Amino acid sequence: MIIYEETHPLTWRLKKKKKPIFLKKYLKYNGYNGAKKAITKFSPNEIIEIIKKSGLRGRGGAGFPTGIKWSLIKKKKSYLICNADEMEPGTYKDRFLLENLPHQLIEGIIIASYALQSKCAYIFLRGEYIIAEKNINYAINELLDKKMLGKNIFNSNFSLNIYLHTGAGRYICGEETALINSLEGKRANPRFKPPFPSSSGLWGEPTCVNNVETLSNIPSIIKNGFHWYKNISLSIDSGTKMMGFSGKVNNPGVWELPLGITARELLEDYAHGICNGYSIKAWLPGGAGTNFLLDKHLDLPMDFNSIQKAGSRLGTGLAVIIDNKINMVNLLLNIENFFSRESCGWCTPCRDGLPWIVKILKCLKKKQGKINDINTLKNICNMLQPGKTFCAHAPGALAPLKSAIKYFKNEFEKGIIYK
Amino acid sequence: MNQIIFLNKKNLLSKLEIKKIEKIKFKYKDNHAISIESLKVVQRYRHWISDISLKAISKYLNIELNYLEEISTFYSQIFRKPVGRHVISYCDSFVCYVKNYKRIKNVLEKTLKIKTGQTTKNKRFTLLQTCCLGNCDKGPILMINRDTYTNVIPKYVNNILNRYR
Ligand code: SF4
Ligand code: FES
């Protein structure tokens, strides 16, 4: 398959050989034209307008419109943070972009920083991404050598420093206020909102936190205009998305596809179907913190609204197949174990509630559950709804559990001893 | 009773460690912000963060000891207990669960004769579990120090380990 910029604004430069693209090659493929155009032709506000009109939504999971997020930042001395702390189980798209296309991300950061008029941008990378760390450092140094970063970029009066920070390993760092705390050298506990980071974030200054994929989309939007970008997609959400399938499929991986492609197309045409001898029991549309969907939902278009209507979230867009040989109780035990281990411990409902769930699931696994256990699980799910805990960690953790009870109650019942 | 700790040479950071910390200082606003990075730098040389290292960092950066204690126990990549020469971690998150990481785990535990979380007798290896490593399409995943191994099958585990023996 040949890929063009018109269909694959993020990955077209990779062509066939999937080798990282560094400066020489990046410039050959029209690299930094977007940044040049942004800084020399547009005012910061005009750029925010373009991004708003392009309909780009945050690709980190929540799907908040990027242009609106940017327009919330009013003051001049702001910080931009690129959230590259990808730790959601089932998510591997940012790693792909970070390792292979570091310059595209940096170009996005330059444009975003210009639009926000920030003097300093951080890339918060998780510590385990060794190759990404190496490639980004290399890319930044290449730019510094060519004087394309630092003082007066492209002979304008805009200056910018980009720093790479590596995390020390904690899932909650992905939450934007926890990430800011961690960058300040504190424990990564989420902060109380308001004040929102847009008015008081890193070191008390206005701060904007964007995901890797979101920022990587910016250069091509500026270069080709928002109309162009809107037309790429097959649904009302514009643009493309890094999507993938993992689990027991023949060709697991990640591909850049237009939003609105159906999950079945993704599964059959790209992931080459389910492995021999397995059939599909359920699937998760985007990472461990989303609700299970069933076979019949495979024909849904993969975009923010359609998936939401079916009762789940697009999340990070990387789907996982749960095959028929997997026991739901055991799987949920694994998932909830992870979430309870990664709870930051700041608020009681999450700190105590998640281990409680793990305990019940352990009993159900050993077939020693009590009659009330399923109701208890349901009650805890209701107690940890959004708004009842300090951050979205606990509600996210319970999304798979709630939907698993809804669809596979009989498997949970099997773990109960009736006397 | 409070333990009295006398100052000795080990209570200071080495020249190399200081050089490394000074090199990254420019990225951050204050000493608190570089504390996590400093812990990581020191850990790179000493393999783990002992109380003595903690004191040394606190003295060098001039920040409170309990502050360092708090963050050093919070982050999973900072080791507050001695670890072996090589740290092996396997991903136990849910896609690797679907891909049966347990087989890898069992082989590791059997060949090293330890359980997850322990260190071998000869202090060569420590086995830990880790969160998703962002390679779910290529699971099961193994990480040894800073090297990542993808699509691991039990048969190859011994070969991989041999590189570090
Ligand atoms: S919900 Fe969980 S992760 Fe979020 S603040 Fe509370 S304890 Fe921390
Ligand atoms: S779940 Fe193991 S690498 Fe993602």
Side-chain angles (χ1 to χ4, degrees):
Chain A
M1 191 178 52
I2 313 166
I3 54 178
Y4 300 103
E5 187 178 5
E6 287 77 34
T7 49
H8 296 74
L10 286 174
T11 53
W12 65 281
R13 289 188 180 92
L14 280 173
K15 302 275 176 186
K16 255 189 204 148
K17 274 181 261 133
K18 296 215 166 134
K19 268 199 207 141
I21 306 269
F22 289 115
L23 194 56
K24 210 170 133 203
K25 203 136 173 238
Y26 191 68
L27 288 175
K28 202 175 120 200
Y29 288 131
N30 304 332
Y32 289 102
N33 282 1
K36 241 178 249 165
K37 191 172 168 191
I39 295 176
T40 50
K41 288 221 179 97
F42 295 118
S43 74
N45 281 337
E46 278 168 338
I47 292 180
I48 296 180
E49 275 312 304
I50 294 174
I51 299 298
K52 255 192 202 165
K53 282 188 196 139
S54 77
L56 175 68
R57 291 176 70 166
R59 303 289 200 240
F64 191 77
T66 308
I68 295 182
K69 196 175 200 175
W70 287 5
S71 62
L72 292 175
I73 293 178
K74 294 268 149 53
K75 267 203 272 155
K76 279 247 156 144
K77 205 180 154 211
S78 64
Y79 287 102
L80 175 77
I81 305 179
C82 165
N83 184 349
D85 187 79
E86 182 182 51
M87 267 186 146
E88 177 94 354
T91 306
Y92 42 94
K93 64 180 173 75
D94 289 349
R95 180 176 196 146
F96 181 83
L97 294 173
L98 288 161
E99 285 179 359
N100 293 309
L101 292 153
H103 277 295
Q104 183 168 277
L105 172 66
I106 294 172
E107 186 178 356
I109 293 177
I110 294 179
I111 300 173
S113 310
Y114 173 71
L116 300 169
Q117 288 291 296
S118 31
K119 303 249 156 11
C120 173
Y122 283 95
I123 302 175
F124 190 110
L125 182 73
R126 65 176 292 194
E128 287 97 338
Y129 283 8
I130 312 290
I131 301 172
E133 184 187 340
K134 212 177 87 200
N135 290 0
I136 289 177
N137 263 331
Y138 186 78
I140 291 179
N141 286 334
E142 268 183 327
L143 285 182
L144 287 174
D145 281 351
K146 283 252 161 75
K147 302 234 167 8
M148 288 168 75
L149 198 64
K151 280 226 167 75
N152 302 341
I153 304 177
F154 303 125
N155 299 325
S156 66
N157 48 14
F158 173 64
S159 309
L160 173 73
N161 286 318
I162 299 179
Y163 299 131
L164 179 65
H165 169 89
T166 53
R170 202 65 199 228
Y171 176 69
I172 196 65
C173 292
E175 205 272 348
E176 59 178 6
T177 51
L179 180 139
I180 291 170
N181 268 341
S182 182
L183 198 52
E184 287 182 4
K186 300 181 185 139
R187 277 174 67 128
N189 294 121
R191 287 182 184 175
F192 191 78
K193 293 189 255 188
F196 288 92
S198 55
S199 54
S200 166
L202 189 62
W203 292 303
E205 307 288 352
T207 303
C208 180
V209 183
N210 281 137
N211 177 262
V212 173
E213 195 187 339
T214 319
L215 288 168
S216 298
N217 266 306
I218 307 285
S220 65
I221 299 178
I222 297 297
K223 205 170 98 202
N224 303 309
F226 62 90
H227 279 300
W228 175 88
Y229 189 72
K230 274 197 134 159
N231 285 339
I232 294 174
S233 132
L234 302 172
S235 80
I236 49 165
D237 292 320
S238 40
T240 57
K241 170 105 194 62
M242 300 299 289
M243 294 197 244
F245 247 111
S246 55
K248 290 253 170 44
V249 291
N250 287 321
N251 181 27
V254 54
W255 305 273
E256 183 187 9
L257 298 168
L259 277 161
I261 187 172
T262 66
R264 197 179 295 281
E265 276 174 280
L266 179 59
L267 174 63
E268 267 154 26
D269 298 349
Y270 293 89
H272 297 175
I274 302 166
C275 294
N276 247 349
Y278 295 92
S279 66
I280 172 172
K281 181 174 192 173
W283 59 290
L284 277 176
T290 51
N291 306 58
F292 285 105
L293 292 176
L294 299 178
D295 209 354
K296 63 176 181 206
H297 297 124
L298 273 177
D299 291 310
L300 281 179
M302 296 279 277
D303 62 35
F304 292 98
N305 295 334
S306 317
I307 300 276
Q308 197 158 16
K309 268 192 206 133
S312 190
R313 279 187 314 123
L314 180 64
T316 52
L318 293 143
V320 189
I321 281 282
I322 314 297
D323 57 79
N324 55 334
K325 299 202 175 148
I326 283 169
N327 179 308
M328 278 314 215
V329 176
N330 296 355
L331 179 70
L332 259 301
L333 176 60
N334 177 282
I335 296 179
E336 299 306 336
N337 216 345
F338 164 79
F339 281 115
S340 88
R341 197 170 73 200
E342 295 294 337
S343 160
C344 81
W346 188 250
C347 59
T348 322
C350 170
R351 183 184 58 227
D352 288 354
L354 295 181
W356 190 7
I357 285 177
V358 170
K359 219 169 129 192
I360 295 177
L361 288 172
K362 268 189 187 151
C363 287
L364 289 178
K365 183 185 172 185
K366 283 193 231 139
K367 307 233 180 293
Q368 290 168 354
K370 301 202 186 63
I371 292 183
N372 260 335
D373 275 358
I374 295 181
N375 277 338
T376 316
L377 286 179
K378 278 191 190 159
N379 278 341
I380 304 176
C381 289
N382 288 336
M383 277 191 285
L384 301 187
Q385 282 305 300
K388 297 192 176 167
T389 55
F390 202 70
C391 81
H393 179 85
L398 294 175
L401 179 65
K402 244 168 98 180
S403 50
I405 296 180
K406 185 165 128 203
Y407 294 128
F408 305 101
K409 200 170 175 192
N410 56 340
E411 285 185 37
F412 288 83
E413 279 165 351
K414 271 186 204 148
I416 297 177
I417 27 170
Y418 297 96
K419 276 189 196 142
Chain B
M1 212 169 76
N2 283 343
Q3 210 184 342
I4 304 167
I5 295 173
F6 296 99
L7 289 182
N8 59 17
K9 257 196 154 170
K10 273 200 190 144
N11 242 343
L12 301 170
L13 294 184
S14 73
K15 273 205 188 105
L16 211 58
E17 286 163 338
I18 290 175
K19 212 173 117 194
K20 280 270 158 71
I21 294 176
E22 288 298 322
K23 226 175 128 187
I24 47 170
K25 225 171 174 174
F26 73 97
K27 292 187 196 171
Y28 303 95
K29 198 173 168 191
D30 55 22
N31 277 5
H32 283 98
I34 48 173
S35 54
I36 298 177
E37 285 296 306
S38 312
L39 284 166
K40 278 164 82 179
V41 166
V42 173
Q43 179 165 291
R44 206 165 300 156
Y45 292 104
R46 307 184 183 187
H47 301 305
W48 66 292
I49 301 290
S50 62
D51 286 351
I52 292 175
S53 320
L54 216 56
K55 282 206 183 78
I57 300 172
S58 128
K59 224 157 89 200
Y60 181 72
L61 296 179
N62 195 16
I63 54 181
E64 316 78 14
L65 190 61
N66 61 352
Y67 181 93
L68 275 179
E69 181 98 43
E70 195 182 280
I71 53 168
S72 65
T73 48
F74 187 77
Y75 292 101
S76 65
Q77 277 177 34
I78 308 289
F79 304 131
R80 288 305 313 277
K81 285 198 199 106
V83 290
R85 178 73 191 79
H86 302 293
V87 177
I88 308 174
S89 19
Y90 59 86
C91 167
D92 72 341
S93 293
F94 97 106
V95 188
C96 289
Y97 173 86
V98 173
K99 285 285 196 80
N100 210 347
Y101 79 86
K102 283 214 170 127
R103 286 190 306 164
I104 310 297
K105 173 191 164 188
N106 291 341
V107 173
L108 280 168
E109 291 188 342
K110 223 168 105 193
T111 22
L112 298 171
K113 299 199 185 68
I114 47 170
K115 286 259 164 328
T116 304
Q118 296 175 334
T119 305
T120 51
K121 268 213 191 95
N122 60 6
K123 303 257 172 5
R124 198 87 190 135
F125 294 109
T126 298
L127 183 62
L128 298 173
Q129 95 284 73
T130 166
C131 166
C132 172
L133 288 170
N135 255 326
C136 323
D137 52 338
K138 305 187 203 90
I141 310 287
L142 202 59
M143 197 162 168
I144 306 187
N145 305 334
R146 287 163 74 82
D147 311 327
T148 312
Y149 295 91
T150 53
N151 288 321
V152 184
I153 28 182
K155 213 164 62 182
Y156 292 157
V157 168
N158 210 17
N159 277 349
I160 297 175
L161 288 183
N162 273 340
R163 297 189 186 180
Y164 301 88
R165 280 203 170 109

